[in-house]
Amino acid sequence: MAVIDQYFKHLVSTGASDLHLSEGQPPKMRTHGAITSISEGVLEHDTLNHMLKEICDDAAYERFLERGDLDFAYEMDAKSRFRCNYFKQNNGLGAVFRLIPTEIKTIQDLNVPETIERFGDLRSGLVLVTGPTGSGKSTTLAALIDYVNRTYARHIITVEEPIEFVHNNKKSTISQREVPIHCPSFADGLRASLREDADIVLVGEMRDLETISLALTAAETGLLVFGTLHTNNARKTVDRLVDVFPSDQQSQVRTMLAGSLRGVVAQLLLRRDDQPGRVAVNEILVSTPAVSSVIREGATQKLYDIITGGKEHGMQFMDDAIWEKMLAGQVSALEAYMKAINKSRFKAALPPEYTDVGNSGGSVTED
């Protein structure tokens, strides 16, 4: 057993999501959104260096020491898998480990809108799952891929950094590729998938012009492409995709996006008020002729009206989803206010001690 496994076992037994190890600091973990120390003693260089090196391939560890960061996955046992990120920081070495559930939950298990599942029924186009780091994008995408895997006989290729959820073949055939082990980059993996008889490609992160351009081309040529972005609503997602291109190409990109975008699922995690844990809330944009038209025109400010008026298509506005969770008592008014886009809507629901929020420069910070 690796020395670091003692921390991983503690993480699993306490229901925490992340382990933080930094030279000169006590070991810490994140539980339901809050970070707390596991013990008082600080981690010395030799101890942390040994723990990090012990679970990592020698060549990869040398690459980390040279470049200053590294991503990979570590499987402690059949039920415990971790996404690992090593980095160098001011006091020396550091690492963060995210617990990845080995059992892939369904869309129903996640208690997110079943409209999301319908995106798995598509045969082509671009579907984006967006949200900040740690918002559960990978979990939702894994549930979506698993739905396809259980329902259809298709060839699914995933390009990830690192591979998180491991899918076993069911009705579909799944090929999971890891950057940079199996392919040099997301763009290279996506480009190769065009020659690998794929029906569906999952791109772990669409973070540069080349990857986004290839994703749009793949979606236009008949593949169903699932991708992620670090945006928190549908309008920002569309704007980000267009803005990454030079100005003289943006009109053409809007036309391509109008024709290929099938939907956007934005996701946030809110701290629960009724029980320990967090709950997902989603904004959902489903492509319609009206959506395609405003994207082509560059009038993304009109997406708000389309989403709020598109419930019959399964659309949902983020603030409406947050409002429903607040009314149901699942999240506090303060948590709802902090995560809402239009904060004035939630201001009246705040407890008396926060009624001056937003007045005279007043502000609230998350604990």
Side-chain angles (χ1 to χ4, degrees), residues 155-159 175 177 183 185-203 214-215 217-219 221 223-225:
H155 183 204
I156 303 168
I157 295 176
T158 74
V159 185
S175 305
R177 309 189 68 198
C183 51
S185 67
F186 287 109
D188 288 311
L190 181 51
R191 186 183 294 106
S193 70
L194 299 173
R195 303 186 297 271
E196 292 162 356
D197 191 33
D199 298 294
I200 297 172
V201 181
L202 184 153
V203 186
L214 283 166
T217 301
T221 55
L223 270 68
L224 177 57
V225 180

Side-chain angles (χ1 to χ4, degrees), residues 114-145:
E114 293 198 15
T115 302
I116 296 172
E117 201 170 70
R118 288 189 224 156
F119 292 125
D121 298 325
L122 298 171
R123 298 306 298 261
S124 65
L126 177 64
V127 176
L128 298 168
V129 178
T130 74
T133 301
S135 59
K137 298 186 298 294
S138 297
T139 304
T140 298
L141 268 173
L144 190 52
I145 292 295

Side-chain angles (χ1 to χ4, degrees), residues 215-266:
L216 287 170
T217 301
E220 273 199 323
T221 55
L223 270 68
L224 177 57
V225 180
F226 293 120
T228 69
L229 284 172
H230 293 291
T231 47
N232 59 12
N233 62 54
R235 179 184 175 182
K236 287 183 180 178
T237 300
V238 173
D239 289 341
R240 175 74 59 82
L241 287 174
V242 174
D243 289 345
V244 76
F245 289 85
S247 57
D248 62 331
Q249 296 178 28
Q250 290 181 2
S251 176
Q252 179 188 357
V253 170
R254 281 195 293 269
T255 300
M256 292 176 68
L257 189 60
S260 62
L261 186 67
R262 296 291 177 267
V264 177
V265 178

Side-chain angles (χ1 to χ4, degrees), residues 8 36 40 74 85 91 121 127 139 158 174 213 304:
F8 291 150
T36 56
E40 293 183 1
Y74 170 68
N85 174 258
N91 293 320
D121 298 325
V127 176
T139 304
T158 74
I174 301 185
S213 178
Y304 167 77

Side-chain angles (χ1 to χ4, degrees), residues 73 92 112 145-146 178 185 225 228 247 272 297 308 342 354 361 367:
V112 295
I145 292 295
D146 186 63
E178 184 166 318
S185 67
V225 180
T228 69
S247 57
R272 296 192 72 133
E297 295 168 5
T308 53
N342 178 14
Y354 297 110
D367 56 352

